[in-house]
Amino acid sequence: MSEHDANQRFVQEATAEPDHIARARAHALELGAAPISPAVGAQCAVIAAASGAQAIIEIGTGAGVSGLWLLHGAPRAILTTIDSEPEHLGVARQSFAEAKIPAARARFITGRAADVLPRMNEASYDIVLVDADPEGVIEYVEHGLRLVRPGGTVLVPRVLAGGAVSDPVRRDPITSAYRSLIQETQASPAVIGALSITGEGLLQLTTVREAPDAKTSAAGLLTGR
């Protein structure tokens, strides 16, 4: 086993997942909706806690694992979660009810993110988590950067695409989209970006608080591709 693999295994085994999230994970696996790993979930919870998040949008509900991790870190936040699969949302509602999350703290929206996100209010959210179909990751991150407040954070799990992004031979559209997203955001003065390789990977993009000019605005960072 390589040092990298040993570290990954240690982190996964050392991460303690709350019981209510572990139950939601079991529901997700039964449903076939692959949840984020406990290590990535814990990172999301820390970011939510550190930012004092009050309003969060999640693109891709699954069975509720990532949403529960975010609310674990920000217990007073309101979560809006979007998914095109009614079955996923139904299981997520069950997971939230089992976790005793008050109904007023979670808003479930059934629909395609590409249709729902344009109707959401700009600069109104502290965190946007993008975990939907990878074919739309560029579009969803663009919306996320528009929706977060100055100093808000966009989180993109699975951004390493199972190791494909680091393989220079891989040139398929999804891998290329993730690779471009990482490269362009890392080079932009409109966001502060960090890439974690723990678990399946997590891209963290925090918009700068100072109002940038039109050429470097976070909302227009990926526009015109």
Side-chain angles (χ1 to χ4, degrees):
M1 180 181 294
S2 69
E3 179 181 352
H4 171 74
D5 291 339
N7 287 339
Q8 289 276 23
R9 179 176 177 179
F10 177 81
V11 170
Q12 293 290 4
E13 293 178 350
T15 301
E17 188 163 59
D19 290 343
H20 67 282
I21 303 180
R23 288 193 295 270
R25 180 176 302 280
H27 293 323
L29 295 175
E30 292 173 1
L31 184 64
I36 60 172
S37 66
V40 169
Q43 289 188 32
C44 292
V46 167
I47 292 166
S51 64
Q54 297 293 312
I56 301 171
I57 287 186
E58 176 185 43
I59 306 168
T61 308
V65 172
S66 51
L68 289 172
W69 267 117
L70 288 164
L71 291 179
H72 180 65
R76 296 183 180 179
I78 304 298
L79 173 73
T80 299
T81 183
I82 304 164
D83 205 294
S84 61
E85 296 289 341
E87 184 180 9
H88 290 187
L89 288 166
V91 174
R93 287 179 186 273
Q94 176 186 345
S95 296
F96 275 56
E98 292 176 355
K100 296 181 170 52
I101 302 296
R105 287 183 52 211
R107 178 188 181 198
F108 298 87
I109 299 178
T110 304
R112 295 176 62 251
D115 298 329
V116 175
L117 293 173
R119 303 198 298 266
M120 311 304 284
N121 293 329
E122 293 187 13
S124 299
Y125 299 88
D126 302 298
I127 294 175
V128 176
L129 184 139
V130 178
D131 190 23
D133 55 294
E135 294 86 352
V137 65
I138 295 289
E139 178 184 2
Y140 300 150
V141 171
E142 286 176 344
H143 280 297
L145 292 170
R146 177 181 63 82
L147 295 175
V148 292
R149 300 184 177 101
T153 299
V154 176
L155 300 173
V156 189
R158 310 181 208 272
V159 73
L160 298 177
V165 169
S166 61
D167 182 354
V169 176
R170 293 289 295 271
R171 300 287 182 178
D172 60 274
I174 291 176
T175 301
S176 296
Y178 278 128
R179 193 176 287 134
S180 295
L181 174 65
I182 294 168
Q183 292 171 344
E184 293 182 25
T185 53
Q186 291 293 303
S188 172
V191 296
I192 300 170
L195 179 61
S196 169
I197 62 172
T198 296
E200 60 273 33
L202 179 67
L203 179 63
Q204 306 157 57
L205 305 172
T206 297
T207 58
V208 296
R209 291 185 179 277
E210 297 78 10
D213 60 35
K215 292 182 180 179
T216 60
S217 68
L221 180 60
L222 303 171
T223 303
R225 290 185 51 79

